[in-house]
């Protein structure tokens, strides 16, 4: 069974088969339940599957990865424990490829590069900080970035994560004095008001059962500022 690009009761399903379901995550919606008690995407997928297939009792949906609440884009969930285990293993081996678009305040001097830092999360205020390697609780964070377009003092960056740390892109770009547009948490006075301009636009993984290489693209809203300042469609095309 395969379903592609359909919107069902507020849930946009990009792809579905018996093993995985790929969906669009709106901005400012949590990926999974948290202490806020707000509605979240994981529960939304469960409700969709329960209703569509008239499943009694609890519905299994495996959370493979997360996106921060203010980040929009594409996510995959597992429909079986076997699929979940295999996808999580891909996360560990690096076969699970996630790419982001971010609008940065100003353009880094280097058009492309790798950012490597150590990060520590403060669970009390939900903030992440740059730290040294020897700091208690420090975790290595690494990403590649490439500036693809510039406009009005802003830069559109294509970013590939090598690690999946909380708030990683936001903290590391702020660390080089080019915070993500709209990031009032980490950008300080350099940030501008509006939605966070960080988008998980591409997701690629090997299907856990068929072993087919799967890739999904979900563009940011091209008619919204600051995305409207750039040719977003051209930015998401394969190089």
């Amino acid at each position: 069974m395969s379903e592609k690009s359909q919107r069902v009761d507020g849930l946009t399903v990009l792809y579905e088969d018996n093993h995985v379901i790929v969906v669009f995550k709106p901005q400012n919606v949590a990926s999974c339940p948290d202490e806020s008690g707000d509605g979240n995407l994981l529960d939304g997928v469960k409700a969709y599957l329960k209703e569509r297939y008239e499943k009694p009792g609890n519905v299994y949906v495996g959370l493979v990865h997360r996106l921060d609440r203010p980040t929009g884009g594409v996510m995959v969930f597992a429909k079986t424990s076997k699929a979940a285990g295999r996808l999580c293993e891909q996360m560990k081996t690096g076969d699970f490829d996630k790419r982001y678009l971010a609008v940065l305040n100003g353009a880094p001097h280097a058009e492309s590069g790798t950012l490597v830092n150590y990060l520590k999360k403060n669970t009390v205020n939900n903030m992440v900080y740059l730290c040294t390697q020897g700091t208690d609780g420090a975790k290595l964070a690494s990403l590649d970035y490439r500036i693809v377009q510039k406009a009005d003092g802003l830069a559109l960056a294509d970013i590939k994560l090598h690690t999946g740390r909380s708030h990683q892109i936001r903290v590391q770009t702020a660390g080089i004095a080019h915070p993500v547009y709209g990031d009032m948490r980490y950008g300080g006075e350099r940030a501008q008001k509006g939605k966070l301009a960080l988008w998980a636009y591409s997701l690629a993984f090997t299907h856990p059962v068929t072993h087919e290489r799967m890739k999904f693209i979900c563009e940011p809203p091209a008619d919204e500022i600051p995305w409207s300042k750039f040719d977003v469609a051209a930015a998401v095309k394969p190089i």
Side-chain angles (χ1 to χ4, degrees):
M1 178 196 64
S2 173
E3 300 289 345
K4 297 185 179 181
S5 299
Q6 58 176 323
R7 188 173 178 84
V8 185
D9 294 331
L11 181 72
T12 301
V13 178
L14 304 177
Y15 175 85
E16 181 186 358
D17 62 23
N18 291 329
H19 313 283
V20 299
I21 179 169
V22 180
V23 301
F24 161 66
K25 177 193 169 300
Q27 288 185 280
N28 300 320
V29 172
S31 296
C32 57
D34 59 23
E35 60 185 13
S36 72
D38 295 340
N40 63 87
L41 195 58
L42 177 63
D43 286 345
V45 172
K46 287 182 178 180
Y48 156 74
L49 294 175
K50 183 178 181 65
E51 179 179 353
R52 176 164 188 179
Y53 302 107
E54 300 180 348
K55 290 179 174 288
N58 295 327
V59 175
Y60 176 85
V61 176
L63 181 68
V64 177
H65 64 120
R66 294 176 174 85
L67 293 178
D68 291 341
R69 182 186 287 251
T71 304
V74 59
M75 288 187 67
V76 60
F77 293 89
K79 293 175 68 174
T80 68
S81 58
K82 178 186 289 187
R86 291 178 177 177
L87 288 174
C88 287
E89 183 62 27
Q90 290 183 44
M91 292 279 288
K92 296 177 183 178
T93 61
D95 193 42
F96 197 93
D97 186 87
K98 296 183 293 182
R99 291 182 182 270
Y100 295 75
L101 285 178
V103 178
L104 306 182
N105 285 274
H109 177 70
E111 293 287 306
S112 63
T114 299
L115 302 182
V116 179
N117 301 101
Y118 283 88
L119 307 180
K120 181 175 182 178
K121 184 172 185 178
N122 184 328
T123 56
V124 176
N125 62 6
N126 195 31
M127 292 280 287
V128 178
Y129 301 91
L130 297 177
C131 64
T132 58
Q133 181 177 357
T135 303
D136 184 40
K139 293 184 178 181
L140 178 67
S142 175
L143 62 80
D144 293 334
Y145 75 88
R146 180 175 60 89
I147 303 302
V148 292
Q149 297 174 31
K150 300 177 185 179
D152 296 337
L154 302 174
L156 182 64
D158 186 306
I159 296 173
K160 178 179 180 179
L161 291 181
H162 297 295
T163 54
R165 308 305 182 195
S166 180
H167 300 185
Q168 178 179 338
I169 294 173
R170 300 165 65 184
V171 176
Q172 289 193 275
T173 56
I176 60 170
H178 296 288
V180 176
Y181 180 103
D183 194 350
M184 301 305 290
R185 175 171 298 212
Y186 294 107
E189 62 183 14
R190 291 184 295 273
Q192 301 179 43
K193 294 181 179 179
K195 289 183 180 179
L196 183 73
L198 180 60
W199 198 268
Y201 80 89
S202 175
L203 178 65
F205 56 88
T206 300
H207 193 282
V209 176
T210 68
H211 306 297
E212 176 186 0
R213 190 64 179 170
M214 314 284 287
K215 183 173 183 178
F216 301 92
I217 298 292
C218 182
E219 297 181 10
D223 59 341
E224 292 185 8
I225 294 176
W227 304 109
S228 58
K229 296 179 181 292
F230 303 94
D231 187 347
V232 170
V236 302
K237 289 181 180 179
I239 302 174

